[in-house]
Amino acid sequence: MREDPDVILVGELRDAETISMAMTAAETGHLVLGTLHTTSATKTIDRVIDALPTEEREQTKSFLASSLIAVITQVLVKSPDQRARRAVCEVMVLTKAIGKLIMTDQSHQIPSQLQMGKEYGMQLMDQALLAAIVAKEVDPEHAYSYASDKRQFQRFVTDTSGAPAFAPSAAAAGTAPAST
């Protein structure tokens, strides 16, 4: 770099080379902000790790477990009057517990940490969507389309044809949600 920036914004972390460059910049003391098209914090972490060659993955997990600050996943949900959109965010803040989950290939357990991490400012997308519905900030039908556990949202929507009649959620069944 010719300049000496404090903050670097990476438009898209789409390949191994870009991810490696972003990690190198972060290791040298820069605040690196990057975008990645995923639908959850867990899927973001998995995508970063999986994007790199197998021989670099342990080092990447170590880097993420010690240097990552947060992952924010956002969706734009229509307002109740359909005239605007509101950002609704899932927030993951790196804690020792989440770092350990990353290091031990247990990222599928991160959602439970987000669900219980309100004191750190964390929340799952479903929690954020429900709060926005209750506050009448978003259209329940549109929010429903972004929900992971549709059952929590059925009382707010009129058309639940996309929802299972009765299928326990992945969390209720004791299995982890899939990652992207």
Side-chain angles (χ1 to χ4, degrees):
M1 284 185 244
R2 294 182 192 183
E3 302 292 324
D4 186 23
D6 295 322
V7 179
I8 299 171
L9 175 60
V10 181
E12 174 81 27
L13 297 168
R14 72 178 72 211
D15 55 41
E17 181 182 3
T18 306
I19 292 169
S20 292
M21 288 175 53
M23 290 190 317
T24 299
E27 287 174 330
T28 59
H30 298 89
L31 174 61
V32 179
L33 305 172
T35 64
L36 193 61
H37 293 273
T38 59
T39 57
S40 71
T42 301
K43 291 176 183 182
T44 299
I45 290 167
D46 290 343
R47 173 98 44 96
V48 167
I49 293 167
D50 292 344
L52 295 165
T54 307
E55 61 273 8
E56 294 179 25
R57 290 185 182 165
E58 288 304 313
Q59 180 181 353
T60 301
K61 289 187 287 188
S62 178
F63 170 81
L64 291 173
S66 63
S67 299
L68 185 68
I69 296 171
V71 175
I72 300 171
T73 304
Q74 89 172 10
V75 293
L76 297 174
V77 183
K78 291 179 184 176
S79 62
D81 66 4
Q82 308 289 310
R83 295 173 49 181
R85 291 184 184 257
R86 179 181 185 282
V88 178
C89 300
E90 175 176 281
V91 179
M92 183 201 83
V93 176
L94 185 69
T95 61
K96 287 181 182 180
I98 290 174
K100 185 175 181 180
L101 292 173
I102 293 169
M103 285 298 299
T104 58
D105 290 321
Q106 295 180 36
S107 62
H108 62 277
Q109 293 182 12
I110 290 174
S112 64
Q113 293 292 316
L114 271 64
Q115 190 171 17
M116 298 181 306
K118 189 172 185 167
E119 68 186 89
Y120 299 106
M122 293 193 273
Q123 66 182 359
L124 286 168
M125 183 61 73
D126 282 2
Q127 291 172 309
L129 288 167
L130 283 170
I133 290 170
V134 170
K136 299 188 183 329
E137 297 171 338
V138 298
D139 174 54
E141 305 281 340
H142 196 228
Y144 178 84
S145 69
Y146 290 108
S148 293
D149 182 2
K150 306 276 190 204
R151 292 181 308 127
Q152 298 180 74
F153 294 82
Q154 287 179 349
R155 63 187 165 121
F156 297 106
V157 297
T158 54
D159 177 18
T160 59
S161 60
F166 179 75
S169 70
T175 60
S179 298
T180 302

